[in-house]
Amino acid sequence: MLSTERPSWGYALVLGLQHLLAMFGATVLIPSLMGFDVSTTLFFSGVGTLLFYGLVGGRVPAYLGASAAFLSCVNTATAYKPAFFGQLNPNVRIAQGGIFVVGIVYAIVGAIVHFVGSAFLQVLMPPLVSGSVVMAIGLNLAGIGVSNANANVDAPWQTCVAILVIGAFAAFGPGFSKQIPILFGLVLAYVIAVIAGSRNGRPLDYTFLNEAAWVAAPKFTAPVFDGSAIATILPAVIVLLAENMGHVATIGSITNRDLNGYLGRAFLGDALATMISSVGGGAGVTTYAENIGTMAVTRVYSSLIFIFAAVFAIILSFIPKFTALINTIPPGIWGGVEIILFGLISITGARIWAQNKVDLGEPKNLFIAAVVVILGAGMPSLPGGVVKLSSTFQLDGIGLSAIVALVLNLAVFVIPDAIKSLVQKKKRS
């Protein structure tokens, strides 16, 4: 079923629920890791998906959820160190300001791509660069999962249980459960933790759950613009561009359609959705690989189902009791989820290299990849996980590795090739 085709309303409803479940784990986890209000982010993920649908005219089926590209840079910019999982970030407003500026830059690039074309992006961000940056992101975030895996006396075994059950669903899960192993595995691990807590005298804390209202509007907050925070968060735009470009190419591949003509509009849709989310207090958003994978399995690419998924997300954002329930999940279980999630991000970088046949036997390629990956992985060992370039400008591992990747690509490939081309033209003339 193509993106322009329309399934029956009943079928679209069921598929919309499936896509809601597919994106749900990450859209709850990622804002929680940055201290954003989950309900607010969920609300704007739905709004952003509807906006994206309108801008691409329904031609690029996708769901927009909270982006992991902002994790490290937001936590660095806001000095966010929660006392417990899900604690709201007291400096979230300066993070909103930084994310809004990212959206502006992202939108400008989207407009350029729409009117000029995407060839220049392929030159600046070839698979070698995008794969290296994506791998650096996963390695940079790895410490978060390991830290949660050792958060308290129960955390290590909870982490092991989470990894085992998620792995079991991914490898052997029946039917639909195999497509969303993180969600099913998280639920099962949580049930095991509840039972174990009731028997070992360390039950889970349900204080926030008992106090939460059943129905309430999401918490909307206005952004604050801080120069240092903006500088730290801005490099995330590189990741968003690489991520979305890859997702559009993947969607085109599984639907057997050339979607390059919609790449600029997809960038604009993602950028505007991110700006709107940041203005109201939500995290930055991006197209979700989880939903692309679900489409590949079901072979139903109708954009209509994402309208249903978006509406469901908006409705769910008005139920605080659900958000409070999420906050009762022990850090050890989240540690297991994070180890898997961030590990998958790292391996995705390697997959980008493999799919595009990047030759890592070539010394130039190997040099760029090595420097970028180690910068991303090693930066968390520094105080605060950042390098301070001035009193107002600092970069975390993701930002630094992304910028270094671009600079090295320019220095090693783009500029020398341009000079060589000019010399050859002069010789011919």
Side-chain angles (χ1 to χ4, degrees):
M1 184 175 290
L2 298 177
S3 60
T4 53
E5 294 182 309
R6 298 290 178 262
S8 66
W9 288 101
Y11 190 33
L13 179 69
V14 172
L15 289 172
L17 284 170
Q18 177 176 254
H19 277 282
L20 177 74
L21 292 173
M23 69 83 187
F24 207 82
T27 298
V28 168
L29 173 63
I30 291 171
S32 297
L33 293 175
M34 295 185 289
F36 280 80
D37 185 82
V38 173
S39 294
T40 307
T41 299
L42 195 59
F43 173 82
F44 282 112
S45 78
V47 171
T49 298
L50 295 176
L51 174 64
F52 183 88
Y53 177 91
L55 281 174
V56 300
R59 301 288 177 168
V60 183
Y63 189 92
L64 274 60
S67 173
F70 293 99
L71 267 172
S72 183
C73 52
V74 163
N75 289 350
T76 299
T78 59
Y80 177 60
K81 296 179 180 179
F84 57 88
F85 182 82
Q87 180 181 12
L88 293 179
N89 191 333
N91 299 315
V92 72
R93 295 178 67 192
I94 66 171
Q96 292 174 234
I99 294 172
F100 183 83
V101 174
V102 167
I104 292 177
V105 176
Y106 194 4
I108 292 172
V109 175
I112 294 173
V113 170
H114 180 65
F115 291 107
V116 177
S118 61
F120 75 98
L121 275 180
Q122 300 291 344
V123 174
L124 293 176
M125 299 172 59
L128 172 66
V129 170
S130 57
S132 299
V133 172
V134 170
M135 180 173 286
I137 292 172
L139 294 175
N140 183 268
L141 298 171
I144 298 174
V146 174
S147 178
N148 277 330
N150 195 39
N152 54 49
V153 67
D154 291 313
W157 71 260
Q158 290 171 345
T159 298
C160 291
V161 168
I163 291 174
L164 288 173
V165 295
I166 291 172
F169 275 113
F172 311 110
F176 179 54
S177 66
K178 196 171 184 177
Q179 306 309 316
I180 47 173
I182 290 180
L183 181 62
F184 275 88
L186 190 152
V187 171
L188 180 55
Y190 180 78
V191 171
I192 294 172
V194 170
I195 295 172
S198 66
R199 298 197 174 191
N200 63 19
R202 295 186 294 273
L204 304 188
D205 185 359
Y206 294 103
T207 303
F208 291 114
L209 178 63
N210 294 331
E211 295 175 352
W214 277 103
V215 179
K219 299 175 182 177
F220 299 113
T221 56
V224 170
F225 297 94
D226 176 85
S228 179
I230 291 172
T232 302
I233 298 172
L234 187 57
V237 71
I238 299 171
V239 182
L240 291 175
L241 287 167
E243 191 174 50
N244 207 353
M245 188 161 57
H247 286 172
V248 171
T250 303
I251 294 170
S253 176
I254 64 175
T255 59
N256 293 317
R257 297 184 62 209
D258 182 5
L259 296 177
N260 283 335
Y262 292 93
L263 185 59
R265 289 161 68 175
F267 283 169
L268 279 170
D270 196 1
L272 292 177
T274 291
M275 292 167 66
I276 291 174
S277 180
S278 65
V279 166
V285 298
T286 188
T287 50
Y288 257 25
E290 290 90 338
N291 298 93
I292 296 173
T294 301
M295 283 191 290
V297 172
T298 61
R299 297 185 180 182
V300 177
Y301 314 117
S302 172
S303 295
L304 179 64
I305 59 182
F306 292 102
I307 294 180
F308 279 92
V311 172
F312 291 147
I314 292 172
I315 293 172
L316 203 54
S317 71
F318 285 85
I319 306 176
K321 186 72 78 174
F322 176 79
T323 304
L325 176 63
I326 296 299
N327 288 337
T328 66
I329 298 175
I333 292 179
W334 284 120
V337 173
E338 290 158 354
I339 288 171
I340 294 172
L341 179 63
F342 301 150
L344 288 173
I345 292 174
S346 292
I347 298 304
T348 297
R351 188 173 65 180
I352 290 173
W353 292 337
Q355 288 177 336
N356 292 278
K357 296 180 173 59
V358 174
D359 183 9
L360 292 179
E362 163 61 44
K364 293 179 181 179
N365 292 343
L366 196 60
F367 164 70
I368 293 176
V371 172
V372 172
V373 169
I374 292 302
L375 278 176
M379 284 289 287
S381 65
L382 295 179
V386 299
V387 56
K388 294 185 177 180
L389 304 178
S390 71
S391 58
T392 58
F393 186 79
Q394 61 185 23
L395 287 172
D396 70 332
I398 293 176
L400 183 63
S401 60
I403 291 175
V404 168
L406 288 174
V407 171
L408 288 179
N409 181 56
L410 286 171
V412 174
F413 290 110
V414 179
I415 294 176
D417 288 349
I419 293 174
K420 184 178 180 180
S421 178
L422 288 173
V423 170
Q424 289 176 342
K425 284 184 179 179
K426 285 185 178 182
K427 286 182 178 180
R428 287 196 297 267
S429 61

